Amino acid sequence: MDSLADQIRSRRTFAIISHPDAGKTTLTEKLLLYGGAIRLAGAVKGRKAARAATSDWMEIEKQRGISVTTSVMQFEYGGCMVNILDTPGHQDFSEDTYRTLEAADSAVMLIDAAKGVEPQTIKLFQVCRMRGIPIFTFVNKLDREGKDPFALMQEIEDVLGMRTCPMNWPVGMGSTFKGVYDRQKGHVELFDNRDHGQTKARVETTGVGDPALSAVLGEDLHRRLVEEIELLDVAGDPWDFDRFRRGDLSPLFWGSALTNFGVQSFLEYFLKLAPSPAPRLAGDRLVDPEEPRFSAFVFKIQANMNPAHRDRIAFMRIVSGRFERGMDVQHVRLGKKVRLSQPQQFMAQDRQIVEEAYAGDIIGVFDPGIFRIGDTLCTGEPVAFEGIPSFSPEHFARVRFKDAMKSKHFRKGLEELTEEGAIQVFYATQPGHPDPILGAVGELQFEVFQHRMRHEYGVEVVLDRLPYEVARWVEGDGYQPRRFWGTDHMAVTDRDGRNVLLFRNEWTMRYVVEQNPGLIFRATAQAR
């Protein structure tokens, strides 16, 4: 039996980040394919017969062909236990991605070869950099026409301020794309796409200088490949593990997730280079993952993963030690013992009971209504990991239900869906405004809320948009809500009773801040 240290060091937990439609969910599917977790990969978009993506399990995800919630998947490959967090790419769901990055030890940044570095990629990259997460870069869709590879490398440096080290190099692009050259192993991988990328691609290898390669690639493509590799060897950044861990250098991979080009070699390099679980700050000390005591934190809550049972699952990242099914742990925020009797691991919506898990793993436990995002669970001496903040919403709407007989279902749905953290709920302090107010980072969150209330709770809700764009949590002894009852701002409280001000725009917010120097205005609220 492997020791605790061996089990933990074999874990690789990472998030995939990108701008929408860069191929994030497709890459996840192909990693699962090579990991043996699935036998047939289904494209998110494409032919009518294509299956829905494994990681897109909500009905609205299958209908729209987008990811609107983080999916958690695990598989074993090459002696490593891999935990994948497939995050939503759409900017309206970025808060879910921010929270998910708290549970990751590294990130894979996916870039569309034709579009380059896009706005949402920049935002998520900055979050990774703030957290000190090492980043792998995968340039996708090489089977389509795209930007020059050297121009893409320069764009990554100019826009993100990060150098790259190509671990492989594309052979052609678009209609001329033949595969990738592995710079470390010194061979070219050629692929066959006759089955539309649904099964593992065949791989042939040969040295880049082999004259026989000209017969396969053609003289022009072969000559260009040799010239580009020589240029990289002379002028490119050499691989440096310390620079990678500091976030100064990203290993760069090229391929096509849809057609399997470069995916398997990327996975194998990733497992070699990606960090195992790292220590995490709890108060004034670091909790080492190899400490024997169990500790974990909740980073996501998902209601109704199984609509037939109306269950609610709290996803937790194990920070240290070993987890065993049925163990008693301390719920630090509530100050009481709880038994974790039905721990589960996931393949998107599919799940299985787990008997044990280790630091780095992601598990889900049944939530009877006692967990919140940011909660710490542990054995032994209590520790409390830093809370996961709530971000300032940018869109607001009053929510009301049509059928008075559905009030109980409405309250239950509102409570459970807002506890997931993707949408926030506020209550007006001014009399005469009893309806709850929803706040979201993006408009699409409102559509998802209405869809889920209708299909999961049987409640038709109406959303009346409010003219506010900014929220600030307010602290200070001199704060009086009634002073801010007006048209340009609204005094509300959040679900925890904290004071919040909603502002019509940034200018109004700045004016109020300047006029109230004795108050503290925060753009985020730490989880309690």
Side-chain angles (χ1 to χ4, degrees):
M1 180 181 293
D2 292 336
S3 68
L4 175 66
D6 289 338
Q7 287 282 3
I8 293 172
R9 291 170 189 173
S10 71
R11 263 56 187 175
R12 302 290 185 272
T13 303
F14 70 100
I16 304 180
I17 61 173
S18 78
H19 196 83
D21 205 31
K24 191 161 32 47
T25 298
T26 304
L27 177 61
T28 301
E29 292 259 315
K30 296 311 174 75
L31 291 173
L32 296 173
L33 176 70
Y34 280 107
I38 57 175
R39 290 189 299 275
L40 186 69
V44 177
K45 299 178 181 176
R47 302 181 311 284
K48 291 181 180 179
R51 297 167 56 252
T54 300
S55 56
D56 287 341
W57 57 270
M58 276 189 190
E59 189 61 35
I60 192 171
E61 292 178 309
K62 296 173 183 177
Q63 292 175 5
R64 297 284 293 265
I66 59 171
S67 298
V68 302
T69 183
T70 296
S71 292
V72 180
M73 289 147 288
Q74 185 185 67
F75 66 89
E76 191 171 1
Y77 186 92
C80 291
M81 188 62 72
V82 184
N83 294 280
I84 301 179
L85 300 162
D86 175 25
T87 63
H90 198 291
Q91 64 180 5
D92 285 9
F93 303 94
S94 55
E95 189 167 351
D96 193 32
T97 301
Y98 295 151
R99 287 193 299 271
T100 299
L101 287 171
E102 295 282 343
D105 295 308
S106 59
V108 175
M109 179 173 65
L110 198 61
I111 293 177
D112 187 316
K115 299 177 181 177
V117 182
E118 299 178 87
Q120 184 67 4
T121 309
I122 298 172
K123 292 180 182 179
L124 297 172
F125 170 83
Q126 291 169 343
V127 175
C128 291
R129 172 153 283 183
M130 285 189 298
R131 288 208 55 237
I133 299 177
I135 297 173
F136 294 79
T137 302
F138 188 96
V139 179
N140 194 26
K141 303 186 180 181
L142 267 292
D143 56 316
R144 305 179 187 180
E145 298 300 331
K147 297 182 179 180
D148 175 78
F150 286 105
L152 278 167
M153 289 177 61
Q154 188 63 48
E155 183 177 339
I156 292 171
E157 181 180 1
D158 292 343
V159 177
L160 302 179
M162 179 178 64
R163 299 282 290 182
T164 57
C165 175
M167 310 303 281
N168 61 15
W169 193 253
V171 182
M173 185 178 290
S175 60
T176 65
F177 183 48
K178 300 295 184 182
V180 292
Y181 170 69
D182 190 315
R183 295 183 66 202
Q184 311 301 309
K185 297 177 180 177
H187 64 233
V188 171
E189 298 179 2
L190 302 175
F191 297 88
D192 187 342
N193 186 35
R194 286 176 294 187
D195 64 353
H196 303 284
Q198 289 192 325
T199 56
K200 296 182 182 181
R202 294 187 307 171
V203 177
E204 303 170 20
T205 63
T206 181
V208 70
D210 189 341
L213 194 57
S214 294
V216 180
L217 302 181
E219 290 186 8
D220 290 343
L221 201 57
H222 185 213
R223 183 174 61 253
R224 192 174 84 186
L225 173 63
V226 173
E227 292 173 353
E228 290 176 339
I229 294 303
E230 289 178 350
L231 178 59
L232 284 174
D233 290 343
V234 173
D237 284 65
W239 172 246
D240 186 319
F241 187 77
D242 291 334
R243 288 184 63 195
F244 162 62
R245 292 301 299 269
R246 293 197 304 267
D248 298 332
L249 186 70
S250 176
L252 176 62
F253 300 84
W254 308 80
S256 166
L258 185 63
T259 52
N260 291 342
F261 289 164
V263 175
Q264 187 171 20
S265 58
F266 163 72
L267 174 59
E268 291 171 352
Y269 275 114
F270 171 82
L271 297 180
K272 292 178 183 178
L273 302 176
S276 55
R280 186 175 177 88
L281 188 63
D284 56 357
R285 82 175 186 92
L286 287 173
V287 175
D288 190 278
E290 296 181 19
E291 291 183 21
R293 43 107 37 91
F294 165 83
S295 65
F297 66 91
V298 176
F299 69 93
K300 173 183 174 64
I301 293 175
Q302 186 70 55
N304 303 324
M305 287 194 70
N306 184 343
H309 295 95
R310 291 285 185 257
D311 62 347
R312 183 165 59 177
I313 301 296
F315 288 88
M316 59 181 66
R317 158 63 191 260
I318 302 177
V319 177
S320 68
R322 177 174 178 264
F323 170 85
E324 296 180 7
R325 178 184 178 185
M327 70 187 304
D328 292 323
V329 301
Q330 181 166 0
H331 189 310
V332 176
R333 177 175 59 84
L334 298 181
K336 71 176 186 178
K337 293 283 187 181
V338 296
R339 173 160 293 185
L340 305 179
S341 57
Q342 290 185 310
Q344 302 167 53
Q345 286 176 326
F346 295 83
M347 180 61 63
Q349 190 179 21
D350 297 331
R351 62 185 81 182
Q352 63 180 18
I353 297 293
V354 294
E355 299 297 330
E356 62 181 15
Y358 297 85
D361 284 338
I362 307 295
I363 62 172
V365 297
F366 173 71
D367 178 15
I370 63 173
F371 295 121
R372 290 190 182 180
I373 291 171
D375 278 350
T376 297
L377 303 174
C378 64
T379 57
E381 179 187 354
V383 296
F385 298 111
E386 293 184 337
I388 301 175
S390 297
F391 292 84
S392 173
E394 299 172 12
H395 304 274
F396 301 88
R398 291 190 189 278
V399 58
R400 51 190 172 86
F401 53 95
K402 294 181 178 180
D403 187 349
M405 301 295 291
K406 297 284 188 177
S407 61
K408 183 177 179 180
H409 295 82
F410 172 76
R411 289 194 299 271
K412 180 179 176 64
L414 181 67
E415 177 184 3
E416 293 187 351
L417 296 186
T418 55
E419 279 181 350
E420 293 181 1
I423 202 161
Q424 298 179 51
V425 62
F426 303 95
Y427 300 93
T429 60
Q430 187 172 353
H433 299 281
D435 293 329
I437 297 170
L438 299 182
V441 173
E443 277 279 348
L444 193 53
Q445 287 283 16
F446 290 144
E447 181 180 337
V448 172
F449 177 83
Q450 285 180 297
H451 178 95
R452 294 186 65 189
M453 287 292 287
R454 181 185 311 117
H455 290 276
E456 296 175 21
Y457 298 93
V459 182
E460 290 285 348
V461 298
V462 177
L463 297 179
D464 301 316
R465 298 300 194 274
L466 295 174
Y468 305 111
E469 299 176 356
V470 184
R472 289 293 183 268
W473 280 262
V474 187
E475 299 174 9
D477 294 336
Y479 176 70
Q480 297 178 351
R482 64 175 58 246
R483 289 182 49 216
F484 300 96
W485 293 349
T487 56
D488 290 335
H489 34 65
M490 175 183 284
V492 299
T493 57
D494 66 11
R495 55 176 300 201
D496 291 318
R498 291 172 293 201
N499 292 310
V500 184
L501 285 179
L502 309 184
F503 300 95
R504 185 176 290 272
N505 49 43
E506 288 278 346
W507 184 90
T508 304
M509 184 269 294
R510 287 195 296 268
Y511 176 80
V512 171
V513 171
E514 291 173 359
Q515 295 299 309
N516 294 272
L519 300 179
I520 299 173
F521 297 83
R522 301 189 187 278
T524 61
Q526 286 297 124
R528 286 185 173 178

